[in-house]
Amino acid sequence: ALAAHAALINQYCVTCHNEARQIPEAHPLLLDQLDLEDVADSAAAWEQVARKLRAGAMPPPGRPRPESAAATALAAWLETALDRAAAVRPDPGPQPAVRRLTRTEYGNAVRDLLALEALPKELDLVSLLPADNTVGFDNVAELLFVTPTLLEAYVTAARKISRIALGDPAQPVMVDTYPLPLEMPQDDRLDGLPLGTRGGIAIRRYFPLDGEYEIAVELTRLGRDPEQLEIAVDGERVDLVTLGVRGGDGASYGVEGDPLRRRVRVAAGPRTVGVTFLKKTAAAAEALLSPFTRGRGGQPAVAAVTISGPYGQTAPGDTPSRQRILVCRPTASASDGPGSDDRACARRVLSTLLRRAYRRPVTDADLAPVLAFYTEGRVEAGFERGLERALERILISPEFLLRVEAARVDAAPGEAYPVADLELATRLSFFLWSSLPDDELRDLAAAGRLRAPGVLDSQVTRMLADPRAASLVSNFVAQWLYLRDLEARRPNDRLFPDFDDGLRRAMLRETELVFETLVREDRSVVELLTSRVTFVNERLARHYGIPNVYGSHFRRVTLDEDSVRGGLLGMGSILTLTSYATRTSPVVRGKWVLENILGAPPPPPPPNVPALGDTGADGRVLSMRDRMAQHRANPVCASCHARMDPLGLALENFDAVGRWRTRDESGQAIDASGALPDGTTFEGLAGLRAILEARHEAFVTTLAEKLLMYAVGRDLGPFDQPTVRRVVREAARHDYRVSAIIQAIVESTPFQMRRSES
């Protein structure tokens, strides 16, 4: 076997990859200098060879190619040899001893530490803290810098958060404005609002104190007919205003005058404020309007809602945050002096907070500086002000902001060793929840029981069933598939007049619900390619051409066998993300498939690549296929486009916003057929989906790589590939279920160990 593999490499690979030719130019792969009998000595190079063979990327199109079975056998042989070498000497890869929490992780940690959900917009960490750098994922440790500007932002956030959490009556009035997107339709019910309503907004917000709050509603225009505007808190109506030409109370609202203002009493805690119109059977439809005039059309609409307060007499209230923090209350009065029991209670409160915030048992040395801040605040204004000052100190402590893993002093240079149980617990919670370990996980780790037989597996199962595991969708999936970029997509409103913010949100929600269901029901990840089940509301169903779906509520639908939808490649979110504002892009779509499905991204394009021409020499508008053929005529572009273009052209029946079509922009019938570099032919999305299903292991490998990178917070290297293959093998034994992939990653060398660097 070794002789046959060596002969194949010499015949098909060494002809280009040798010392004389130096290909590729930037990082030459010199196969004539490598020893096939000792792959461990040049593991990085042989990993590259195996990867290219698996992806069918080498030899390049136009060059002689070995038989597919022979290339696959060589890749398998190399992988087996590399895995055997990795088992002898496990390599967890480089792991920084200190890493900062990302903005998302910091927000989740604050939420779980203090039971603070639905923070006021003034405390939106997206606006308070700068965005994290992103290379693949924003939790890559080497890019999580700590700057003076960032520290100032943390101090500001900590001060505001501590006031909100404890309900400080002395805190200033907060003013939060919630504008509605210009292109948000307001002729039908929106999620979170009662049946029988249209338009408006549902605002989930934390009210820090019992008191009066002003709700100001800005309207876009006033119609001729009376309209009824409802203001509700937690579903209970607090006001119903009849608006006519001048408004039911004789005042002028909206663009013709001041906003409608109402003061209502709201109990402290997380509340939902709904502002919406009661729907009339004759309400005008907005479907024929331009997206940027929907909600600004022929009937009154909500443009923005501003919530300010509290005003008048206020009280902290019995909020979830106060219940979480105040595990005891002093029985002596604040005037009793230092000898009263408030300090003992403060120690108990702060010790509990510190254990959770620092993710470990705490000592008197940890407590001393925090108690100093408490004492300062208590002298200023009593027990709770003291806790407020101490909480500020905790929220900007390095022990909270940074994840620190202590090096083992007795480890030899380069030696791999298991991380401590408490560090493993932190790794696990930030992987699955993007947040702090809870009490159960931390207590198991503190007792040294986390690695006891069956314990870690049961914790993973428990944590995946917890609502906090939704972060795998909102954080991991959103970054892996670039879903965060969907908000910025603005398809041309003249070419795509049906696209608006309601459709954009529905597309995003469909993708989220598919992944949430995959995790919750522990299904095979291969279904992401093949599933005939999806989630739609009326708006998205109309866009897809799915009949008999009504209302804003998302429901699970089983697609017909001949449906063009199903799986990631049939989702409007993915198809819109991989298009330009005015047209589709087979290049972008093909590149997306290579990167996110097949795990074989093309190299960056060369400089000064010419743009696609819209017309031929005769002035005729070219089809997209003809444009791409013209582009591939450039030899510099041909090799990469031979891999990308067929994948992207298979999706040409979907326009730039994911609608099905049979003719392209030029008016020509769409030809969605294609052929892969290895000669495999297919027809459209159905044919491509069949190929991807047959080669599903490539997709599972890609997902495992992305998830491992996210789990360990660093870019992957060749030394990680044995781990990836082990994860895929373990998952295959369990039908590639989500839990099997996650369990295998949690048990892996990179996740459980670190390497001594000195």
Side-chain angles (χ1 to χ4, degrees), residues 244-260:
V245 175
R246 297 284 298 174
D249 57 0
S252 177
Y253 305 125
V255 295
E256 300 180 17
D258 295 330
L260 166 67

Side-chain angles (χ1 to χ4, degrees), residues 603-620:
N608 304 317
V609 176
L612 287 179
D614 294 336
T615 58
D618 58 359
R620 179 178 58 88

